[in-house]
Amino acid sequence: MYITILSGHVTHENWAPLKKSFGQVGKHPPRHLLESVLMQSEDDPTLWQIISFWSSKEDYKEAEQNQESNLCVKMFCDAGSIPSRRGFPIIERYSRV
């Protein structure tokens, strides 16, 4: 599994459009995207993140090559932000059952 974290600062007037765009993009996600969440920092409410869970790094790279991963970047840009993205391979995992 591979995780990407997209972060950007969004002004208050663009919060609602960002949330709306995230909901719309979620209706047609990239094929290998397992889950994606939109988060807002409590310490700095202008800081937003989209954390995405991919089947593998290779599947993420395929989505990136096909421009599918840029939908979330476009969301931030449309909300007046220039986001940054970082990728993380899962080293170990714990799940409560």
Side-chain angles (χ1 to χ4, degrees):
M1 189 178 297
Y2 190 70
I3 295 174
T4 57
I5 300 176
L6 190 64
S7 301
H9 286 272
V10 178
T11 58
H12 183 268
E13 61 270 8
N14 288 319
W15 293 358
L18 180 65
K19 289 189 270 187
K20 182 178 179 182
S21 293
F22 183 80
Q24 291 172 339
V25 167
K27 292 177 183 175
H28 304 286
R31 183 170 54 116
H32 297 293
L33 181 66
L34 302 174
E35 183 178 359
S36 195
V37 294
L38 176 64
M39 303 187 320
Q40 182 181 24
S41 171
E42 289 183 331
D43 299 326
D44 176 2
T46 67
L47 178 60
W48 289 74
Q49 293 185 324
I50 296 175
I51 299 180
S52 299
F53 298 82
W54 301 86
S55 332
S56 67
K57 182 176 182 177
E58 294 75 27
D59 288 339
Y60 164 72
K61 291 294 185 185
E62 180 183 317
E64 187 178 45
Q65 208 169 17
N66 295 333
Q67 301 294 314
E68 295 173 318
S69 65
N70 289 337
L71 295 172
C72 291
V73 171
K74 184 178 179 332
M75 265 190 275
F76 272 100
C77 291
D78 289 348
S81 178
I82 299 172
S84 64
R85 184 186 334 244
R86 294 183 184 245
F88 301 86
I90 302 260
I91 304 302
E92 290 195 40
R93 184 175 178 182
Y94 167 81
S95 294
R96 184 177 299 274
V97 288

